Amino acid sequence: MTVSLRSTAALRLGLTGALVGALALLASSCGRARHGPFPVALVGDEGAFQTSGVRLSPAAQVLRAATVEGLVGFDAEGRVVPAIAERWIVTDDGQSYIFRLRDGIWPDGSPITADTTAAALRKAIAALRGTALGLDLAPIDEVRVMAARVIEVDLVAPMPDLLTLLAQPELGLPYEKRGSGPMGLRRDGRTAVLALIPPTRRGLPPQEDFAARSRPLHLEVEDAARAVERFNDGYVDAVLGGRIDTLPLAGVGGLTRGNVQIDPVIGMFGLMVDRADGFLADAPNREALALAIDRATLLGEFNVGGWQPTTRIVSPDVEGDLGTVGERWVAMDMAARRAAALERVTRWKAAGNPAPVLRVAMPDGPGSQIVLARLTTDFAAIGIGLVRVGEGGKADLRLVDTAARYGRATWFLNQLTCAIQKAACNPTGDARLDEARKAVDPRQRAALLGEAEAEMTAANGFIPIARPLRWSLVRSGVTGFALNPWGWHPLPPFAAVPK
């Protein structure tokens, strides 16, 4: 078992105190691994408990997924598993998914039926219209009741990732505003106790030794610094929900690095243009910012092995990518790129405009400070000033750090449509993307997606830097945790008592 000596208390007490604390931590955490509640910290704030609606914080997504299940869910490794639907089949043409619902009850004791489930699913899909996730679900044509416990989801074109989308927290299906589990939550301020709901209370057959085989979770919602401190001082055995803005707190390069887990996620980490006016009104000027960023140096500040820069708006090597769109400016070194960018800024100022000073919205935290310092240096090299504002502030640029919900180009492009990215988008790219959604032939769909990516890239409404980073702290011997491609970790697996 890895023992961390990087706690604030240990550093105050000196070596002897640290060793005593480490031994106490070893004893307590080994005991917790098999007996008693499992203590976990979730990085977030008061908004973590606001689990209704469709624009959830990352912490709220975790809590909603634990307490409001949908047709399917995720296991610890990010694989789709049964939930309200106990099994399903996909038709040969890939355009219909047929779900057999479990023989259970809703929280008010009424039976789970195809009628009530279909109504809840239609309502959830309708609520997501106007969001990027709503665009992901756009190929759904109809949700139909087939039998007392059978529903069918019909599509206008094959949708290989439908199950992954239906497992998203926003597709949880509350009944009379209450979730059906699999966990119940009792809140006490910024902490909560979550426990698996006994099968008999969900209308399911009893499970032998259920009480002995499950344990409650004591969950603390904390800011990242406090969560790491709680971990290092031995009060929690896992910290979930870390992002790039707080990565330095995890001690990736220090004594805690044996406890740091970094998920292999794909997604978007870069700058979104929020106001396409002034210097940013023209796509070539927006491209100047993308040209100026020394991505390799920025990433090197974090010293994370395998983290690679990218200039593509779609993560390289996503499923179905034909490779028709590659990395940008591969024939130009950094000096040549900055020279091209500087020429555009010089031309702007020669037209009587002041030197651009841009406001960038980003979260607070040591990781954000590193990113801001590097971007400030990079933009200063081409004569552009950069000023940070808070996440909710009025800004020209916004730092985006979002993990993909599924591993296809469609997810990335949906984030950049004119319905979502209103400041700097490309209607032609939207049109190609819409055609791709309706395409039945996989090769035709992939070609249209490549065209859409090329058009949206030319708009320079998003300036990619790299894939996102998602980190957790997990003590050795903890069960219920696994690295997964979505970067967030469901709570129910932690409630299973280790054998």
Side-chain angles (χ1 to χ4, degrees), residues 138-158:
I140 294 177
D141 183 45
E142 186 179 7
V143 178
R144 298 193 295 140
V145 173
M146 302 294 291
R149 285 169 45 211
V150 179
I151 68 171
E152 181 174 3
V153 178
D154 293 330
L155 310 172
V156 297

Side-chain angles (χ1 to χ4, degrees), residues 108-410:
D108 68 348
S110 61
I112 292 174
T113 66
D115 284 319
T116 54
T117 303
L121 181 56
R122 293 186 197 109
K123 183 177 180 180
I125 294 170
L128 287 164
R129 289 177 188 147
T131 69
L133 183 53
L135 291 177
D136 292 329
L137 297 166
I140 294 177
D141 183 45
E142 186 179 7
V143 178
R144 298 193 295 140
V145 173
M146 302 294 291
R149 285 169 45 211
V150 179
I151 68 171
E152 181 174 3
V153 178
D154 293 330
L155 310 172
V156 297
M159 196 174 171
D161 300 287
L162 177 63
L163 292 174
T164 301
L165 284 167
L166 292 177
Q168 299 299 319
E170 293 86 347
L171 271 297
L173 304 179
Y175 185 74
E176 300 294 336
K177 299 183 179 180
R178 294 171 60 192
S180 57
M183 305 187 86
L185 183 152
R186 176 171 54 83
R187 184 180 172 188
D188 182 11
R190 290 275 288 273
T191 65
V193 177
L194 293 101
L196 293 172
I197 301 172
T200 52
R201 285 179 48 198
R202 303 173 71 201
L204 299 171
Q207 292 182 16
E208 186 178 356
D209 298 328
F210 173 81
R213 293 167 56 190
S214 64
R215 60 184 176 184
L217 308 185
H218 280 189
L219 182 138
E220 306 176 9
V221 177
E222 307 280 6
D223 63 70
R226 175 65 173 162
V228 171
E229 181 181 6
R230 296 284 288 172
F231 182 89
N232 286 341
D233 288 345
Y235 293 106
V236 299
D237 286 346
V239 174
L240 308 177
R243 301 158 74 89
I244 185 65
D245 56 310
T246 55
L247 181 63
L249 298 173
V252 173
L255 295 174
T256 59
R257 63 185 176 184
N259 295 317
V260 177
Q261 303 289 328
I262 297 181
D263 290 291
V265 301
I266 60 173
M268 300 173 72
F269 175 64
L271 297 173
M272 192 76 77
V273 176
D274 266 5
R275 292 172 60 86
D277 54 14
F279 180 77
L280 297 180
D282 298 324
N285 289 349
R286 299 193 292 268
E287 185 186 30
L289 303 184
L291 283 161
I293 298 174
D294 186 346
R295 292 163 177 79
T297 298
L298 190 158
L299 269 57
E301 297 278 354
F302 291 90
N303 194 30
V304 175
W307 196 24
Q308 297 296 319
T310 185
T311 57
R312 284 188 62 181
I313 60 176
V314 174
S315 285
D317 303 322
V318 295
E319 193 166 352
D321 181 20
L322 296 180
T324 54
V325 178
E327 296 290 336
R328 305 174 76 181
W329 316 302
V330 292
M332 301 173 68
D333 62 17
M334 200 66 237
R337 285 164 49 181
R338 284 191 174 157
L342 178 60
E343 189 275 333
R344 296 175 196 183
V345 177
T346 302
R347 188 187 313 137
W348 165 264
K349 292 192 293 186
N353 298 301
V357 177
L358 305 177
R359 295 158 299 180
V360 58
M362 61 173 61
D364 195 11
S368 295
Q369 292 168 11
I370 292 172
V371 174
L372 179 63
R374 288 306 322 167
L375 292 177
T376 300
T377 298
D378 291 342
F379 289 171
I382 62 168
I384 292 178
L386 193 64
V387 178
R388 177 189 174 272
V389 299
E391 287 187 279
K394 185 177 180 181
D396 305 295
L397 304 168
R398 172 169 45 91
L399 185 67
V400 171
D401 182 5
T402 308
R405 305 243 190 182
Y406 57 96
R408 293 181 188 271
T410 313

Side-chain angles (χ1 to χ4, degrees), residues 93-116:
D93 62 3
Q95 291 186 229
S96 289
Y97 285 67
I98 301 169
F99 297 90
R100 174 78 177 183
L101 308 179
R102 72 169 188 248
D103 185 10
I105 58 174
W106 294 111
D108 68 348
S110 61
I112 292 174
T113 66
D115 284 319
T116 54

